[in-house]
Amino acid sequence: MQQTNNKRADRWLARFADSNYVLLAIFVASFLESLIIPIPLELILIPLLMHQRDRLWSIATVTLLGCLFGASVGYAVGFWLFEDMGDALLTWLGYQDAFESFTARFAEHGFATLLLVGVSPIPFQVGMLSAGSAEYPYGLFMLAALISRGIRYYGLALLVYWFGEAVLRWWQQYNRKAGWAVLAAALSVYVVYLFI
């Protein structure tokens, strides 16, 4: 049964990866993931990158662009509509406590905190709404999002380029531990930043 489901999923992924709309679909998925869907996009990206190794960099670029577009919308919601929409969005996603904790760190170390949230499992929605509601400079916000999410998506494409199938097997086995390892590394960099 499991093998039948895996074959069916592989056939669906191959059809999706070869379609004319795959880049548009990834852009939309990245936009939604960065704005409202708290599901890691890597669950789709790793198998897609494996099936489309000749378009690794195009897929990473479109993913990053979708994320940046979503980040801009999230920033705008925080900037202009936080009291009307942002607070409701945080409550709906269950991120109210994370937002309050993040806002306290953000007030003291804005750019470094945005970099941290962009590469870690911390929901990116929290960073977008915090930056907008605090009226953090939009250019610096977008630079932090570009750097952190660029590392995430282009780094993933690079791993698939170098290691191929081994990355897929590794991700299936260790995805949760990898997220926490990235968070620990990012926190270490953040702590060093605080003391320099």
Side-chain angles (χ1 to χ4, degrees):
M1 182 69 173
Q2 178 72 23
Q3 193 172 18
T4 303
N5 287 339
N6 287 344
K7 287 180 181 179
R8 194 175 303 147
D10 285 343
R11 282 194 306 270
W12 176 86
L13 182 61
R15 279 196 310 270
F16 171 69
D18 292 332
S19 78
N20 294 330
Y21 304 106
V22 68
L23 293 179
L24 176 61
I26 288 298
F27 178 88
V28 170
S30 181
F31 169 77
L32 292 173
E33 188 261 348
S34 68
L35 194 59
I36 58 171
I37 300 175
I39 297 171
L41 193 57
E42 289 82 357
L43 297 175
I44 299 169
L45 274 180
I46 291 174
L48 179 62
L49 289 168
M50 291 300 304
H51 279 82
Q52 291 286 315
R53 291 184 70 176
D54 57 325
R55 297 199 305 179
L56 289 174
W57 312 117
S58 297
I59 293 169
T61 299
V62 168
T63 306
L64 179 59
L65 291 175
C67 178
L68 293 178
F69 185 64
S72 293
V73 172
Y75 178 92
V77 168
F79 189 84
W80 283 301
L81 304 170
F82 183 75
E83 291 188 15
D84 296 330
M85 290 178 60
D87 200 36
L89 180 63
L90 288 170
T91 302
W92 179 67
L93 292 170
Y95 294 155
Q96 196 67 37
D97 292 338
F99 178 78
E100 290 171 14
S101 172
F102 180 84
T103 302
R105 286 189 306 251
F106 181 73
E108 196 171 344
H109 305 285
F111 192 79
T113 305
L114 286 171
L115 286 175
L116 173 66
V117 78
V119 296
S120 71
I122 297 170
F124 198 51
Q125 295 88 345
V126 171
M128 295 183 301
L129 292 171
S130 293
S133 66
E135 299 183 12
Y136 189 74
Y138 176 74
L140 287 176
F141 166 73
M142 288 304 288
L143 180 62
L146 176 70
I147 292 169
S148 61
R149 292 304 189 153
I151 289 170
R152 189 169 173 170
Y153 300 134
Y154 284 104
L156 191 59
L158 192 60
L159 287 174
V160 169
Y161 178 78
W162 282 339
F163 301 109
E165 285 290 331
V167 172
L168 182 60
R169 286 192 303 274
W170 180 85
W171 176 258
Q172 288 170 338
Q173 189 172 2
Y174 298 110
N175 61 5
R176 186 174 299 260
K177 290 178 183 175
W180 288 113
V182 167
L183 178 60
L187 285 173
S188 299
V189 170
Y190 185 60
V191 167
V192 169
Y193 168 81
L194 292 178
F195 290 107
I196 292 180

